[in-house]
Structure formats: structure tokens, C-alpha cells
């Protein structure tokens, strides 16, 4: 269930997600969350309207997720996880 998934998430170091619903859930419980987004549907400017807004949130976005390289995602994620 969604509740069980949330409880599991709270026991982890951070949530890595492509779905903004669980990112908002993470923010409500002050859990770090990192979103990976493609902007084809909403456009780059529109992403700000769906992303969680809490101080422990980070993200990477591109025109499509497929266009992001593993190296780009890994670098950004490592920077995010090393921050307090």
C-alpha cells in the first residue's frame, strides 16, 4: 500500500523518485527526496509547478529522462546526498 511504501521510505537515507506524489509525501515527513524529471509534457518552466518544495529536495531534469546520462544523474545525486 501507499502507507507501507511511505513507512519503508522513512527508514531510508533518501527517496529517489520520478513520481512527484511520493516526493511530496517525503517532504511532509522531512525525508530527503531527489526527483528525476523529463520535461516533455510540462515543459521546463512547468516543472516548478509539480515538484515538491521543501528544503531537503533536489532534482535533475532534461527535455526527456532518456536524454539524461547516468553520469549526469550520478553526479547530481552524489552532490545532493553529501549535503546535510
Amino acid at each position: 500500500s501507499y502507507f507501507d511504501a511511505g513507512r519503508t521510505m522513512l527508514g531510508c537515507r533518501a527517496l529517489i523518485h520520478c513520481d512527484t506524489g511520493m516526493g511530496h509525501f517525503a517532504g511532509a515527513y522531512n525525508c530527503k527526496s531527489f526527483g528525476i524529471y523529463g520535461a516533455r509534457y510540462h515543459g521546463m518552466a512547468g516543472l516548478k509547478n509539480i515538484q515538491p518544495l521543501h528544503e531537503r529536495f533536489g532534482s535533475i531534469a532534461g527535455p526527456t529522462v532518456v536524454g539524461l546520462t547516468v553520469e549526469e544523474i550520478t553526479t547530481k545525486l552524489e552532490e545532493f546526498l553529501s549535503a546535510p
Side-chain angles (χ1 to χ4, degrees), residues 2-75:
Y2 200 77
F3 175 78
D4 291 331
R7 189 169 49 187
T8 299
M9 172 199 66
L10 294 174
C12 297
R13 185 172 168 202
L15 169 71
I16 300 169
H17 61 93
C18 294
D19 170 65
T20 57
M22 193 57 93
H24 289 285
F25 189 106
Y29 290 94
N30 201 30
C31 178
K32 276 186 150 186
S33 66
F34 184 84
I36 302 171
Y37 298 104
R40 180 170 283 172
Y41 181 75
H42 295 286
M44 291 300 276
L47 286 178
K48 67 179 175 41
N49 296 324
I50 63 167
Q51 292 177 341
L53 298 175
H54 59 89
E55 56 192 45
R56 301 190 75 199
F57 171 74
S59 68
I60 188 169
T64 64
V65 172
V66 175
L68 296 170
T69 67
V70 172
E71 292 78 18
E72 289 174 312
I73 295 169
T74 302
T75 299

